[in-house]
């Protein structure tokens, strides 16, 4: 019996050591910390950088911060709005709630659930094209909305931490180093996550785009060929989605919010491939359809679906522009938008758009 127990103990030693090491990595990363805790650190002025890898409750986190921050200028949209960085704007009262609206009905829901005193003076909404295509945004199939806490699942997180190391996503030695103000395995391992202003960094992917999931836009081109997953075909703008945005516009007007809408860009070759199919008629109709909702209130709408002054290599994938794309887009807004022109730091943007040696990164500005 003693020999058996000794054998079992000997077998378990490396298992316990491995669990201890990866447990230490997980603990040191701060992956286990709650959205409430990190939101409070941001509100307390800490430069908290949050990149969780094993749970995603971006909507809840962004709503917590936006509720407490009560920024005068708010950005709201999907992941295609996250590259509007605070440095782009000449205001200290800024927050990017990008990622809090994955579907068309989430914009108004987000705002209605803010404390009245936290509603912004100016709202920049990024309206993805596929919000207005029935195959993606079928109103009858949209998910029910709520903001709730997600529990940290230790067994899942531990197994994924081990898997991530085996796949070469991070170094154990580097992960065990101190990471002040950095929380989450994605932030620690890849440098990807949300800054305190709510904007997003793609981290190491910006230096190694060959490691992405849409290299050469092969995935985007496949979606276009098949008409799936945000690239569904449609000849007409989906009227129920327009009605939902009409309600958003009314809400902003009633609450004294200056609304600016942006239709975000596709990579040039992806846009061209879409147009070659002749099956995306709704996209060319969208600016006029949305404009008819915005114009009666004096609200502005800008269509950046195709930006010929950007290059394919400046895009993370077929429909996510990098920092340089959004810096250039913001400069266009400074020229075209009466609402935003005084809020945009054109000196910073022009300096940041100097050659950085990397088509995805801005030049450092001192």
């Amino acid at each position: 019996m003693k020999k058996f127990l000794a054998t079992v103990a000997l077998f378990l030693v490396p298992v316990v050591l491995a669990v201890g090491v990866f447990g230490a990595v997980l603990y040191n990363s701060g992956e286990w910390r709650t959205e409430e805790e990190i939101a409070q650190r941001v509100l307390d002025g800490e430069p908290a950088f949050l990149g969780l890898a094993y749970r995603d409750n971006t909507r809840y986190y962004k709503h917590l911060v936006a509720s407490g921050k009560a920024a005068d200028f708010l950005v709201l949209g999907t992941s295609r709005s996250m590259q509007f960085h605070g440095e782009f704007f000449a205001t200290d009262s800024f927050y990017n709630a990008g990622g809090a609206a994955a579907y068309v009905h989430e914009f108004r829901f987000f705002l209605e659930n803010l404390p009245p005193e936290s509603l912004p003076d100016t709202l920049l909404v990024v309206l993805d094209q596929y919000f207005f295509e029935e195959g993606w945004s079928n109103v009858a199939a949209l998910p029910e909305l709520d903001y709730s806490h997600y529990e940290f699942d230790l067994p899942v997180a531990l197994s994924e931490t081990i898997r991530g190391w085996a796949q070469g996503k991070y170094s154990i030695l580097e992960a065990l180093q101190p990471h002040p103000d950095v929380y989450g395995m994605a932030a620690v391992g890849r440098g990807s996550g949300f800054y305190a202003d709510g904007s997003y960094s793609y981290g190491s992917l910006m230096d190694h785009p060959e490691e992405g999931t849409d290299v050469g836009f092969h995935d985007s081109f496949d979606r276009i060929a098949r008409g799936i997953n945000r690239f569904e075909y449609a000849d007409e703008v989906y009227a129920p989605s327009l009605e939902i945005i009409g309600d958003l516009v009314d809400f902003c007007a009633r609450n004294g919010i200056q609304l600016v809408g942006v239709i975000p860009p596709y990579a040039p070759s992806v846009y061209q491939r879409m147009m070659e199919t002749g099956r995306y008629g709704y996209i060319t109709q969208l600016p006029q359809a949305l404009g008819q909702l915005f114009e009666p209130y004096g609200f502005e709408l800008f269509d950046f679906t195709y930006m010929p002054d950007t290059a394919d290599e400046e895009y993370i994938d077929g429909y996510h522009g990098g920092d340089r794309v959004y810096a250039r887009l913001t400069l266009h807004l400074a020229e075209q938008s009466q609402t935003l022109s005084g809020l945009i730091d054109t000196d910073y943007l022009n300096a940041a758009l100097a050659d950085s040696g990397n088509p995805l990164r801005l030049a450092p500005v001192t």
Side-chain angles (χ1 to χ4, degrees), residues 19 36 42 148 151 155 164 206 213 260:
V19 170
E36 293 90 346
V42 169
S148 57
E151 293 294 335
M206 299 175 74
T213 59
V260 177

Side-chain angles (χ1 to χ4, degrees), residues 59-100:
R59 295 175 178 88
Y60 179 49
Y61 172 70
K62 290 298 184 75
H63 200 268
L64 286 171
V65 179
S67 295
K69 196 174 183 68
D72 294 337
F73 182 22
L74 184 72
V75 175
L76 184 57
T78 68
S79 55
R80 297 174 78 188
S81 68
M82 294 175 181
Q83 300 309 113
F84 286 108
H85 298 290
E87 294 88 349
F88 292 5
F89 302 98
T91 174
D92 294 328
S93 188
F94 168 89
Y95 189 65
N96 187 328

Side-chain angles (χ1 to χ4, degrees), residues 105-361:
H105 63 325
E106 292 191 75
F107 292 92
R108 182 173 171 181
F109 183 82
F110 184 94
L111 296 170
E112 287 181 333
N113 283 277
L114 289 176
E117 64 273 15
S118 296
L119 289 172
D121 296 328
T122 304
L123 176 65
L124 173 61
V125 294
V126 178
L127 299 169
D128 295 11
Q129 292 85 349
Y130 44 80
F131 283 162
F132 304 94
E133 192 283 315
E134 184 176 5
W136 177 260
S137 291
N138 184 345
V139 168
L142 292 177
E144 293 186 10
L145 302 175
D146 66 0
Y147 295 122
S148 57
H149 172 78
Y150 285 12
E151 293 294 335
F152 173 67
D153 190 325
L154 177 59
V156 170
L158 188 58
S159 65
E160 290 298 324
T161 300
I162 297 171
R163 186 196 303 272
W165 171 77
Q167 294 173 343
K169 292 183 177 180
Y170 68 90
S171 159
I172 290 177
L173 290 178
E174 291 180 1
L176 289 174
Q177 298 298 314
H179 299 280
D181 302 322
V182 176
Y183 307 96
M185 283 299 298
V188 169
R190 303 191 301 273
S192 58
F194 294 107
Y195 295 110
D197 69 1
S199 65
Y200 189 77
S201 170
Y202 284 96
S204 60
L205 186 60
M206 299 175 74
D207 299 307
H208 299 283
E210 71 280 1
E211 297 177 358
T213 59
D214 198 17
V215 178
F217 305 137
H218 69 277
D219 181 55
S220 292
F221 291 152
D222 179 65
R223 296 189 199 186
I224 293 168
R226 299 166 63 192
I228 62 169
N229 199 7
R230 296 183 176 85
F231 288 91
E232 289 84 355
Y233 308 132
D235 293 327
E236 304 290 335
V237 176
Y238 184 47
S241 290
L242 289 176
E243 293 176 9
I244 290 171
I245 294 302
D247 291 340
L248 169 68
V249 171
D250 290 340
F251 177 88
C252 290
R254 291 197 311 271
N255 287 276
I257 300 171
Q258 285 297 310
L259 179 64
V260 177
V262 164
I263 306 174
Y266 292 101
S269 65
V270 170
Y271 171 79
Q272 291 163 2
R273 182 72 63 91
M274 294 171 73
M275 294 302 102
E276 287 169 3
T277 69
R279 305 184 72 175
Y280 292 96
Y282 83 96
I283 288 180
T284 57
Q285 300 169 15
L286 191 54
Q288 180 178 359
L290 287 172
Q292 291 175 348
L293 300 176
F294 279 59
E295 288 170 7
Y297 298 94
F299 295 154
E300 299 174 327
L301 176 77
F302 300 95
D303 180 22
F304 292 102
T305 297
Y306 176 55
M307 291 184 64
D309 58 342
T310 64
D312 282 346
E313 57 267 25
E314 295 178 320
Y315 288 76
I316 298 294
D317 57 35
Y319 60 108
H320 287 95
D323 287 348
R324 299 184 70 83
V325 170
Y326 278 80
R328 199 170 288 114
L329 187 159
T330 307
L331 273 179
H332 289 315
L333 288 174
E335 298 170 354
Q336 300 172 29
S337 170
Q338 294 182 358
T339 301
L340 298 181
S341 60
L343 293 171
I344 294 173
D345 190 340
T346 56
D347 289 340
Y348 171 86
L349 290 166
N350 283 312
L353 282 168
D355 184 12
S356 67
N358 182 329
L360 293 171
R361 289 193 180 275

Side-chain angles (χ1 to χ4, degrees), residues 24-65:
V25 167
L26 189 61
Y27 180 84
N28 192 60
S29 74
E31 178 81 18
W32 52 275
R33 295 185 183 275
T34 67
E35 291 86 357
E36 293 90 346
E37 180 181 355
I38 305 306
Q40 189 57 56
R41 290 178 183 238
V42 169
L43 296 174
D44 289 342
E46 178 182 309
F49 184 69
L50 176 65
L52 301 177
Y54 310 134
R55 71 182 191 276
D56 180 12
N57 200 4
T58 298
R59 295 175 178 88
Y60 179 49
Y61 172 70
K62 290 298 184 75
H63 200 268
L64 286 171
V65 179

